[in-house]
Amino acid sequence: MRATVRQAARATLQLVLSAAMAFGSYIFVTVLLITAIATAAVVGAFMLPETVLLIRRIAGAKRHQAGRWTGRKIPEAYQPLTGTVRERVRTAVRDPSTLTDFRWMVAYYAYGTLPVLMLPLWPLGLVVDGVWCGLLRRRAVVLPLISRLADLDAHWSTVLLKPSPKAQLAVRVEELVQTRAGAIAAHGAELRRIERDLHDGTQARLVSLSMRIGLAKRAYDQDPEAARRMLDDAQTLAEEALTDLRHVVRAIHPPILTDRGLVGAVRALAASSALTVTVTVDGLTDGHDGPRAPAAVEAAAYFVIAESLTNAAKYSGADRADVRLARARTGLRVRVRDEGRGGADEAGGSGLLGMQRRVAALDGSVTVTSPVGGPTVIEVELPCVW
């Protein structure tokens, strides 16, 4: 009986919040009517986007409330209302989610009265279930109806507030446009970096190498010893140029990924780091044994870890870091944590921005948690098929 009362009290709180929201919606219909009249008169057309934004906030609050009760989040799929007044009005009218929210609000005027039904259930339930459960030791029959009312309210809200396929498609297209722009920007930045590395490093060494060989050829007949020294210097420059070229190639796609796989490459990266790095692996194997993620996913994960460890060594002040690689049913998960000073800003540097663009190009996500004082945790999810 005690558990039944607690559950009924919890459902009552849910229904009370729903009743308060329904009462606010009843008042809001006045604003809708005023907006409709003003929009029809053109003079108040600027009020339409603001009204739609207000409806979105109310619908969002209901999504949050229903999702918290059911334990399943209700997604949103809104087009941003930006630009001039005319553009905002056009977007508000054409957005499929506007019709979804309006349909929910009209229906909510009807089923928003569900909380009223719980009022007679409490006194009746305390009497009936008190005797039925307390004396006869049977299962409660009246108070659980309050929970069912809350379930019904949440179910109808979920069905009505779930974005339409057209709205989800529009949001998805917008996301793809943004990630495509980010991928193009990241690709351009990568090409500029490779060009800069080749120009400032390899090309300069090759020019110097060519000059040394030319000087050695001229001095060979008059001063063979000097020519030999110049050829030794030329050999050193050739080796340095080869080293620079290897660095450029590794930056494009590290050969160690092909040779040893992601786990082996990350272990080698950890061993060469300035920090003491602990690598934890869940569901992945070294080398070519077992399933592997696609090459693009492995490369993105490798560069995320490399960039994170480099940033931690340069800026965090930490001496240790933890790297975790986990195989999930839907993809690959990467987690890098350091116990440094924290305060990493996603908008403050190109490293995190480049990381986000690289991951977004593969439809992945990056979450950076870095409060002042630490720790800094970078979590990445890269979808793929195993």
Side-chain angles (χ1 to χ4, degrees), residues 262-267 278-287 289 291 305 322-327 332-335 386:
L262 179 60
V263 176
V266 171
R267 293 192 190 279
T278 302
V279 179
T280 305
V281 179
D282 182 11
L284 299 172
T285 56
D286 288 323
D289 299 332
I305 295 172
D322 297 318
V323 176
R324 185 174 187 272
L325 294 170
R327 175 187 173 186
L332 177 67
R333 293 177 182 172
V334 177
R335 183 174 181 269
W386 298 91

Side-chain angles (χ1 to χ4, degrees), residues 103-316:
R103 182 186 59 189
W104 163 76
M105 182 160 286
V106 171
Y108 199 44
Y109 294 146
Y111 78 88
T113 58
L114 283 176
V116 178
L117 301 178
M118 76 175 177
L119 297 179
L121 293 179
W122 265 109
L124 181 62
L126 291 176
V127 174
V128 174
D129 291 338
V131 175
W132 193 250
C133 296
L135 297 180
L136 302 179
R137 302 296 181 183
R138 301 292 183 85
R139 182 175 296 180
V141 293
V142 178
L143 290 178
L145 294 177
I146 300 177
S147 296
R148 293 183 182 179
L149 287 176
D151 291 338
L152 189 61
D153 175 83
H155 174 71
W156 284 348
S157 298
T158 301
V159 172
L160 291 169
L161 288 173
K162 184 179 180 181
S164 65
K166 183 177 180 181
Q168 292 178 326
L169 179 61
V171 171
R172 181 59 178 159
V173 169
E174 183 65 24
E175 289 177 354
L176 291 176
V177 169
Q178 294 177 359
T179 56
R180 178 178 179 272
I184 292 174
H187 179 68
E190 189 72 9
L191 287 178
R192 288 191 296 272
R193 183 193 62 77
I194 294 172
E195 181 184 7
R196 184 175 61 252
D197 290 345
L198 289 174
H199 181 272
D200 297 342
T202 307
Q203 179 176 308
R205 295 187 190 280
L206 290 176
V207 170
S208 180
L209 171 63
S210 177
M211 293 176 62
R212 292 297 176 92
I213 293 176
L215 292 174
K217 287 173 63 178
R218 293 181 182 181
Y220 184 75
D221 294 330
Q222 288 84 12
D223 191 353
E225 290 298 325
R228 188 176 293 109
R229 289 194 299 270
M230 291 178 186
L231 288 175
D232 291 338
D233 293 340
Q235 183 179 6
T236 302
L237 287 172
E239 293 173 352
E240 292 175 351
L242 285 174
T243 302
D244 289 342
L245 281 175
R246 290 191 188 99
H247 286 308
V248 172
V249 171
R250 290 193 189 100
I252 297 173
H253 183 82
I256 193 172
L257 276 177
T258 304
D259 298 337
R260 298 175 55 183
L262 179 60
V263 176
V266 171
R267 293 192 190 279
L269 193 64
S272 62
S273 175
L275 307 175
T276 302
V277 182
T278 302
V279 179
T280 305
V281 179
D282 182 11
L284 299 172
T285 56
D286 288 323
H288 299 281
D289 299 332
R292 290 182 57 176
V297 172
E298 286 191 344
Y302 179 86
F303 283 117
V304 164
I305 295 172
E307 183 70 25
S308 301
L309 293 179
T310 300
N311 290 343
K314 285 184 178 180
Y315 309 116
S316 72

